[in-house]
Amino acid sequence: MPKTRTQGAALSNIEIAQHARMQPIVPLAAERLGIPESKLHPYGHYKAKIALDYCAGLDGRKDGKLVLVTAISPTPAGEGKTTMTVGLGDALNRIGKKAIICLREPALGPVFGMKGGAAGGGYAQVVPMEDINLHFTGDFSAIALANNLLASLIDNHIHFGNAAGFDVRRVTWRRVLDINDRALREITIGLGGPGNGFPRQDGFDIVVASEVMAIFCLATGLKDLKERLGKIVVGYTREHKPILARDIQAHGAMAVLLKDALAPNIVQTLENNPAFIHGGPFANIAHGCNSVIATRTALKLSDYVVTEAGFGADLGAEKFVDIKCRKAGLKPDAAVIVATVRAIKYHGGVQVADLGTENLAALQSGIANLDRHIDNVHDVLGLPCLVAINHRVEDSDADLHGLMDRVRHHGVKVIVARHYAEGGKGALDVANEVVELCEHPNYFRYVYEESATLWDKMKAVATRIYGASEITADSKVRAQIRQLQESGYGHYPVCVAKTQYSFSTDPKLRGAPHGHVVNVREVRLAAGAEFVVMICGDIMTMPGLPAVPAANAIDVDDDGRITGLF
């Protein structure tokens, strides 16, 4: 069972969470945020949803400051963006600022797979941790049901006459599951005779990679949600004419399934500060940001909103800016780039098993990865930023001083944060610097213009953010991109799906590679989400489980106490 990083600590993350002194969420939200109790719909004592009509009624209020937490390219274990977000939110409240954190909901695939939960760790967690990491308020189940209802309606429509004219070879809508299951990536359905429909090739994606999840997180309200669902392209006719979800009258029923889920969830940190957790698209596949509704609501209710974007800044921060901010009209006031000594040594060539050993040479070599992320956030995206070193107990003074000396040439502050071991108290220096950064000149900009072609948008991300020299695609993929451009989708942003472990499409190519080529293997239209997915390298939209999945260590005793969840 994983332990906290405090020297000699005896409690695991889940044990710390189980010892938390939580406050009932309805009076907490009413007192701290001024939300009327009638507009809070509790799911038990410690989690609730905020009524959509209340969220919509906040539009006339002034926005607080928006702080983005991003990171360097991670090791397979992750580098602590969520803990930093939680710790920073707690620290801002400690210095007298009214702050809310906005996070994504964890997906069950990673929880039972390799990464584990995503509710923070140590003394920088959101609670109730078990609920958040498992079924929570049922949002993901609603998203899966809505997605699979559409899949069922497509096959039912074809079975009963196919009035829309589906070419069964060109049905593009796939089913979803919130569990890693490689065996379901490609399947054949409709076997067993005429009563079971028409046989065709199909497949499953993980829920968090689905277009319904992206729509859910980008929708501004119920009306917008329903309109976006109706615009989903689910297949094509023999004449290559797109067929939309609204053409088979599916979007209304899908919206019904999602209506309650669309209301943002409120929980609390270990220090009893409010936290919004809503939506959860993967950042290495989808756009990797929590819901627009949750972020907008938090901005109206607080002085500072701290939110995270998934994985490294090349994936999370770029999509946060080019997709979420562009679509929702948001503008970050500052950014925090999370780094760890172990991740930098990993990018300097050290194997995972040896990351706890002091290695100044590897640190100097691997810091190029952090350099690239700082340049991207500060120079390409134009955001005031700082580097927060997520402290681990094995970090030596020589490691920390070497890292801080090397980064100072960027003109950004480097702060060692100890929120994992100390909670908000360990991130006070980060909080004070963030408050100052939010008043600095802000040159926020997108990576590409909306008017650029889809090909040029993809090339801009690859060359300006990833350090690539060129992008490539085979003739079939190029033709698809050209067809999407000519069909009126060229103004959409691109959503790149690639490995999170490298600036390139090769997870083994660490550091800050230059001059590599990014190959676009597949392209998918997400017309309801209003972006075009560019799938690069070997990334899978349905992950598999590792040889020893985290699920093997998760259990519940006779009294209902969960163990092994982290």
Side-chain angles (χ1 to χ4, degrees), residues 22 27 59 124 165 170 224 287 319 333 343 358 377 402 423 508 541:
M22 292 183 285
D59 281 349
R170 294 186 173 91
D224 185 40
H287 71 288
K319 295 176 188 177
D333 293 280
E358 183 179 292
V377 172
K508 296 179 181 178
T541 52

Side-chain angles (χ1 to χ4, degrees), residues 129-148:
M129 182 261 224
E130 299 104 310
D131 293 6
I132 293 166
N133 275 320
L134 297 173
H135 301 292
F136 199 23
T137 57
D139 294 346
F140 282 20
S141 295
I143 291 167
L145 286 168
N147 184 104
N148 293 340

Side-chain angles (χ1 to χ4, degrees), residues 25-26 29 35-44 46-52 54-55 105 135-140 142 216 258-267 276-279 291:
I25 196 62
V26 170
I35 303 173
E37 292 194 8
S38 62
K39 298 300 182 182
L40 292 159
H41 305 309
Y43 282 61
Y46 304 114
K47 52 188 188 289
K49 281 189 171 288
I50 305 170
L52 282 174
Y54 176 77
C55 298
E105 301 177 46
H135 301 292
F136 199 23
T137 57
D139 294 346
F140 282 20
F216 180 89
L258 295 169
K259 174 179 71 70
D260 291 339
L262 193 62
N265 307 303
I266 181 169
V267 289
F276 289 7
I277 303 182
H278 197 220
S291 77

Side-chain angles (χ1 to χ4, degrees), residues 73-74 282-286 311-316 318-319 373 458 461-462 465-467 495-507 509 513 516 518-519 521 533-541:
S73 303
F282 269 176
N284 61 343
I285 298 173
F311 293 121
D314 57 319
L315 286 166
E318 184 273 318
K319 295 176 188 177
H373 285 294
M458 179 65 220
V461 173
I465 300 295
Y466 306 160
C495 181
V496 183
K498 76 169 188 71
T499 179
Q500 65 269 32
Y501 298 125
S502 174
F503 279 108
S504 73
T505 58
D506 179 0
L509 193 57
H516 53 281
V518 173
N519 179 256
R521 173 172 59 85
V533 182
M534 302 282 189
I535 300 176
C536 303
D538 296 327
I539 196 71
M540 294 291 182
T541 52

Side-chain angles (χ1 to χ4, degrees), residues 104 208-219 228 278-292 308-312 315-325 327 493-497 526 529 531 533:
R104 293 171 294 162
V208 286
S210 68
E211 184 176 355
V212 176
M213 174 64 82
I215 289 171
F216 180 89
C217 288
L218 292 170
R228 287 173 175 271
H278 197 220
F282 269 176
N284 61 343
I285 298 173
H287 71 288
C289 310
N290 74 302
S291 77
V292 166
E308 67 163 347
F311 293 121
L315 286 166
E318 184 273 318
K319 295 176 188 177
F320 179 84
V321 165
D322 284 317
I323 297 177
K324 181 174 180 175
C325 290
K327 294 293 183 182
V494 295
C495 181
V496 183
F531 57 65
V533 182

